[in-house]
Structures are given as C-alpha cells and as structure tokens.
Amino acid sequence: GTGGLFAVQSVADWSYTPALTPPPNQDPTVATPAAATAVGTTKASLAVLGADDGGESNLTYTWELLSGPAAVTFSPNATNAAKAAMATFTAAGSYAFRVTIADAAGATTTAAANFVVAPVLTGLVVSPGVSTLTAGVPQQFTVRGVDQFGQPM
C-alpha cells in the first residue's frame, strides 16, 4: 500500500506562558510639601512636587482656595507647570490652599499650604480732597492710610 510520514508532538513538550499584566496604577505621592512664599505685597509663589509610577512629567497640579477673605487667581493652574504657580490676591488676610496632584489614570493625592497677606501702608487719602479756604477761618483735614488694595488701615 501507500505509506506516509506523521509527526507527533508529545504533551510534555508544550508549555504555556500567560501574558504579563502590568502592575496596577499607583496613586501619586507628595515628594516635596506645598509651600507659599511672598512675592511683593499682592502675590505669593506656590510650589509643590509630586512623584508617580508614570513619571512626574505626567502629573497635573490643580490649585484651589479653601478659605480666605477674597478670591485668588492661580497662574498657571491645572497643568504640570502649576507645580510652581503664582497666586494673586485682592485683599489682605489669611488664606488656605489645596493642590490636587493627578496622574494620567486619574489617581490623585492632595497637599495643603497656608499664607497670610499682611496689609501694607501704600497711600494716604486726605479729606476733603478739594476745599476753598477763607482767611482766618480754620479748615480741618483728615488723613487716613490705605493698604495695597486701597482698603482703609
């Protein structure tokens, strides 16, 4: 008859290697605590640094005001560059900030900083501003100080 050649592989020679799954995403951490440093009389430099398993350059820093006497603007904000942001104030007083550090997968951590904007005498207001003087008649003037935001001191 006819013949043929057949190859048979034994089961003992086969192996299975499962696909490697990456480790789960880790939350970012705070590598350098948040801090605020005065820049002039109406601004503060805010700084913080995070660390992450995906690399620091993939982190986003978002600053927010937790409490204070008036609104604050942050520049830059909600970017990686916001790890070094500028806060601009519109009133003297005590302020509390929070920065949220987020990685590309959406995991977050937070840090906090406080800052006090001290009122600084920057001007004098004389009243009345315009007055007609009459010889021999005394005229009283009042002087008051105002801070860097134009508020009375």
Side-chain angles (χ1 to χ4, degrees):
T2 60
L5 183 61
F6 296 93
V8 175
Q9 179 81 31
S10 79
V11 173
D13 293 336
W14 289 88
S15 64
Y16 171 73
T17 304
L20 296 176
T21 50
N25 181 54
Q26 300 295 311
D27 290 349
T29 59
V30 177
T32 303
T37 306
V39 177
T41 61
T42 62
K43 296 183 179 193
S45 172
L46 303 175
V48 67
L49 188 63
D52 188 59
D53 55 350
E56 188 281 327
S57 63
N58 293 313
L59 296 176
T60 299
Y61 300 85
T62 304
W63 293 92
E64 65 181 309
L65 176 64
L66 293 178
S67 65
V72 176
T73 56
F74 304 99
S75 180
N77 202 15
T79 66
N80 180 265
K83 62 189 162 204
M86 188 68 65
T88 302
F89 304 96
T90 57
S94 295
Y95 293 84
F97 306 109
R98 175 173 51 213
V99 59
T100 300
I101 304 169
D103 68 13
T108 64
T109 190
T110 61
N114 296 312
F115 188 72
V116 176
V117 179
V120 176
L121 179 66
T122 58
L124 299 172
V125 177
V126 179
S127 355
V130 176
S131 180
T132 302
L133 299 176
T134 305
V137 178
Q139 172 66 52
Q140 182 172 347
F141 291 91
T142 304
V143 177
R144 67 178 170 90
V146 294
D147 70 10
Q148 68 268 39
F149 304 105
Q151 297 301 309
M153 292 185 68

